[in-house]
Amino acid sequence: MSARKLVTVLLGLSLSGGLGCASRPEACREGQVATPAAAQRHPVAGHHLRAHAHNDYEHERPLFDALGHRFYSVEADLYLTDGKLSVSHLNLPWESKRSLEQLYLEPLQARIDERGSVHGDGVTFTLWLDLKQGGPELVDTLHAVLEKYPMLTRIDGDEVHPGPVTVVLTGDAQGKRDFVTRYPQRRAVRDSNDYSPEDPPADNAWGYYALKWSDYLDASGTGQLDDSQRARLACIIENAHAQGRKVRFFGAPDHPDTWRVALEYGVDFLGADDLQGLDSFLEGAP
């Protein structure tokens, strides 16, 4: 069936009351769309709470530039280099490799010790660690390092003890799964880079999605979406939230049109490389 015919069929079912996003989550599959009726607007408050610094370590002042623009989420690419956790883009021999603890964990802990939370307002901050490698050595080293920082949300079996900072593992699928499986007591949770309407409800191990924009939505232009794509975005977000997960997209156009539609439909993290641009956009967002 062509995409045009599919939209027509879905629209007809919607008008007759025969299909809704919640009752038919398969409408969010690749190549399909939800009904236009599912594309509800999601007004949000405190827009800066959703601001996420993509590849934060590439900025002139990692972490502190994002904090200065009132971001509540940052992301760092993580490697194991000579037995130590380092942050860099490609881990090339000539590339600068900086310590995860020095760049992020130590300054965040110092800030929390002083203010009680990262921004002094009691709101949880999110630190995404993009595992560029897997393997037991990285998993064990990361677990040992994170255990040193009492600021981090702690998972103890079926219990969650919220902290000022929550660590979310993204990237290498095997590595992040191994981490949450091998350590029932830990200071990190994981995401998934794939969405399916058949995914089970969120638990203490898996509570987030990080989805590639172009795998689910239009990657051309500035991020403007037509009605069918807006409906599909709404359906993905609705289903993810119903299952208890938060969502961010990566690889999206770094543009106000993308941020606008993400806000409108309830995307939990608005990623940007242009920190000033997103800050200014959120300042003026209704």
Side-chain angles (χ1 to χ4, degrees):
M1 181 182 293
S2 70
R4 184 184 298 275
K5 288 182 179 178
L6 177 62
V7 173
T8 301
V9 169
L10 291 174
L11 179 57
L13 288 171
S14 174
L15 293 175
S16 66
L19 178 63
C21 181
S23 62
R24 291 288 299 280
E26 65 269 24
C28 298
R29 291 183 186 278
E30 184 175 359
Q32 295 180 304
V33 296
T35 66
Q40 303 170 3
R41 297 190 173 211
H42 295 259
V44 295
H47 296 322
H48 278 82
L49 303 183
R50 300 179 181 234
H52 170 75
H54 173 250
N55 286 352
D56 176 79
Y57 56 92
E58 294 188 328
H59 295 291
E60 183 176 348
R61 297 187 310 144
L63 179 63
F64 291 100
D65 284 346
L67 295 180
H69 287 291
R70 295 174 294 164
F71 280 46
Y72 281 75
S73 177
V74 298
E75 175 189 0
D77 290 353
L78 195 63
Y79 293 87
L80 188 67
T81 305
D82 298 326
K84 298 182 180 179
L85 296 172
S86 62
V87 174
S88 64
H89 186 53
L90 296 173
N91 202 35
L92 297 172
W94 56 85
E95 189 178 13
S96 173
K97 299 177 182 65
R98 292 164 289 180
S99 162
L100 170 67
E101 293 191 78
Q102 291 176 346
L103 277 184
Y104 291 99
L105 296 175
E106 291 174 358
L108 283 171
Q109 185 68 64
R111 193 174 173 102
I112 288 163
D113 291 343
E114 178 185 353
R115 305 181 181 204
S117 64
V118 172
H119 286 286
D121 54 7
V123 177
T124 300
F125 188 86
T126 307
L127 173 61
W128 296 75
L129 299 180
D130 190 344
L131 306 185
K132 294 301 184 181
Q133 302 165 322
E137 187 179 359
L138 182 144
V139 168
D140 292 344
T141 302
L142 178 59
H143 180 264
V145 166
L146 296 182
E147 284 297 303
K148 296 162 54 177
Y149 294 89
M151 66 179 174
L152 302 179
T153 294
R154 181 168 61 87
I155 294 88
D156 187 0
D158 294 331
E159 296 184 2
V160 177
H161 304 275
V165 176
T166 293
V167 172
V168 181
L169 305 183
T170 189
D172 185 83
Q174 190 62 50
K176 62 193 178 188
R177 288 194 185 100
D178 285 349
F179 188 97
V180 299
T181 300
R182 293 174 61 186
Y183 292 106
Q185 282 121 7
R186 60 186 183 276
R187 294 188 182 272
V189 296
R190 74 168 178 92
D191 72 2
S192 175
N193 302 124
D194 296 301
Y195 163 82
S196 169
E198 282 80 32
D199 286 336
D203 56 24
N204 293 345
W206 171 22
Y208 297 77
Y209 289 108
L211 307 176
K212 188 176 181 180
W213 180 270
S214 61
D215 285 349
Y216 298 87
L217 302 163
D218 182 25
S220 63
T222 64
Q224 293 183 353
L225 302 179
D226 61 25
D227 288 344
S228 65
Q229 291 173 323
R230 283 172 170 258
R232 187 167 185 225
L233 174 60
C235 194
I236 291 172
I237 299 302
E238 179 181 337
N239 288 333
H241 287 174
Q243 295 287 59
R245 290 193 178 90
K246 294 184 177 182
V247 182
R248 76 175 176 94
F249 286 90
F250 62 90
D254 209 20
H255 192 278
D257 287 344
T258 305
W259 303 328
R260 188 172 294 109
V261 76
L263 270 183
E264 185 177 349
Y265 291 104
V267 177
D268 299 283
F269 297 89
L270 279 65
D273 295 296
D274 179 5
L275 304 184
Q276 179 62 63
L278 179 55
D279 185 359
S280 298
F281 167 80
L282 293 174
E283 187 67 32

